[in-house]
């Protein structure tokens, strides 16, 4: 009777030790994975600067790194088939010290936004125009502009897409005259173009002349 009891205790002790080793192994593996994920996130800043912001405007030396696979619920590869990532510009993704100069919101001062809303096609349907950065599956990156219909429910409908490969992808928007959209590639310069609804062609397009009639 005593031998059976001892044997039972030995088996139980062995089982507990085995479970303990498995638990420790799992905890260690989770720790490694979390550490790797944290390191990857730390390495993958959305904005990196290639130059001295004290000597050059930050948006001229900024390189953006898209990290999402959809924009407003639309998969990146449905916007363009060769895209693997696309991230909409948002203020909360950009370091505050870049956007705020001397405590002032530089974009607010210039009346610029990364996304603007309006009835840009002259109908009752509201649209949103937005800018962001894309990355092709093959690697190249660039700036994109989207105009989307905003339905009450469901995924937005793409009305316009413009994408260009760029080493420096900064872009911003501003409401123009007669429901037009001003597209800028800088914050304090004259490098801009105009997007406007063409009633005859029934689509959005760039104005040949910056002056909107």
């Amino acid at each position: 009777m005593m031998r059976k009891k001892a044997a039972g205790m030995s088996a139980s002790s062995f089982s507990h030790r085995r479970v303990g080793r498995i638990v420790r192994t799992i905890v260690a593996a989770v720790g490694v994975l979390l550490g790797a994920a944290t390191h990857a996130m730390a390495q993958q800043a959305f904005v990196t600067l290639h130059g001295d912001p004290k000597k050059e405007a930050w948006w001229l030396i900024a390189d953006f790194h898209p990290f999402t696979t959809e924009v407003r619920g639309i998969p990146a590869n449905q916007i363009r088939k060769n895209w693997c990532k696309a991230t909409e510009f948002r203020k909360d993704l950009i370091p505050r010290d870049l956007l705020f100069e001397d405590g002032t919101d530089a974009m607010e001062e210039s009346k610029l936004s990364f996304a603007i809303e309006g009835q840009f096609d002259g109908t009752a349907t509201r649209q949103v125009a937005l800018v962001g950065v894309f990355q092709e599956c093959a690697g190249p990156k660039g700036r994109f502009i989207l105009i989307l219909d905003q339905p009450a429910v469901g995924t937005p409908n793409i009305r316009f897409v413009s994408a260009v490969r760029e080493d420096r992808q900064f872009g911003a928007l501003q409401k123009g005259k007669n429901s037009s959209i001003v597209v800028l590639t800088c914050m304090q310069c004259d490098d801009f173009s105009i997007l406007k609804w063409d009633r005859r062609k029934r689509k959005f397009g760039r104005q040949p002349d910056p002056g909107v009639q």
Side-chain angles (χ1 to χ4, degrees):
M1 292 292 291
M2 292 294 291
R3 283 196 298 273
K4 288 183 179 179
K5 185 176 181 181
M9 290 177 64
S10 177
S12 176
S13 177
F14 174 77
S15 177
H16 283 305
R17 287 199 299 271
R18 186 175 181 182
V19 170
R21 284 198 298 271
I22 292 172
V23 170
R24 287 193 294 272
T25 300
I26 293 173
V27 170
V30 170
V32 170
L33 290 173
L34 287 175
T38 301
H39 179 72
M41 289 176 67
Q43 294 297 313
Q44 194 63 32
F46 181 58
V47 186
T48 55
L49 300 182
H50 297 274
D52 187 349
K54 294 181 180 179
K55 297 179 180 179
E56 300 178 84
W58 73 268
W59 58 86
L60 297 177
I61 57 175
D63 188 15
F64 295 87
H65 308 280
F67 62 92
T68 54
T69 57
E70 63 177 38
V71 177
R72 306 266 174 140
I74 304 172
N77 61 8
Q78 287 186 18
I79 301 173
R80 288 286 170 87
K81 291 181 179 179
N82 63 339
W83 290 6
C84 275
K85 296 179 182 178
T87 301
E88 176 184 353
F89 291 147
R90 301 197 316 264
K91 284 186 174 181
D92 62 295
L93 295 177
I94 300 174
R96 182 181 174 84
D97 61 329
L98 297 181
L99 288 176
F100 287 77
E101 299 177 5
D102 301 321
T104 301
D105 187 331
M107 289 192 69
E108 188 72 26
E109 287 271 307
S110 302
K111 297 182 180 179
L112 301 179
S113 301
F114 292 132
I116 56 176
E117 296 184 6
Q119 295 165 306
F120 300 117
D121 66 353
T123 68
T125 303
R126 292 188 66 80
Q127 289 90 38
V128 58
L130 58 92
V131 287
V133 56
F134 70 84
Q135 183 164 25
E136 298 175 7
C137 299
K141 296 188 299 184
R143 177 177 55 254
F144 71 81
I145 304 163
L146 285 180
I147 300 177
L148 309 173
D149 276 342
Q150 296 194 98
V153 294
T155 303
N157 178 46
I158 299 175
R159 297 290 302 278
F160 175 85
V161 183
S162 175
V164 58
R165 291 179 180 179
E166 289 281 0
D167 292 331
R168 300 294 178 260
Q169 305 89 22
F170 179 85
L173 303 174
Q174 190 178 67
K175 287 188 176 181
K177 300 176 182 177
N178 302 325
S179 300
S180 65
I181 301 165
V182 183
V183 183
L184 301 99
T185 58
C186 53
M187 282 173 54
Q188 297 173 357
C189 67
D190 295 327
D191 186 8
F192 66 92
S193 59
I194 302 291
L195 283 174
K196 197 172 188 299
W197 177 254
D198 189 317
R199 291 187 178 88
R200 183 174 59 83
K201 296 180 179 179
R202 299 191 60 78
K203 66 179 183 179
F204 287 99
R206 294 184 184 274
Q207 292 287 305
D209 187 332
V212 179
Q213 303 300 321

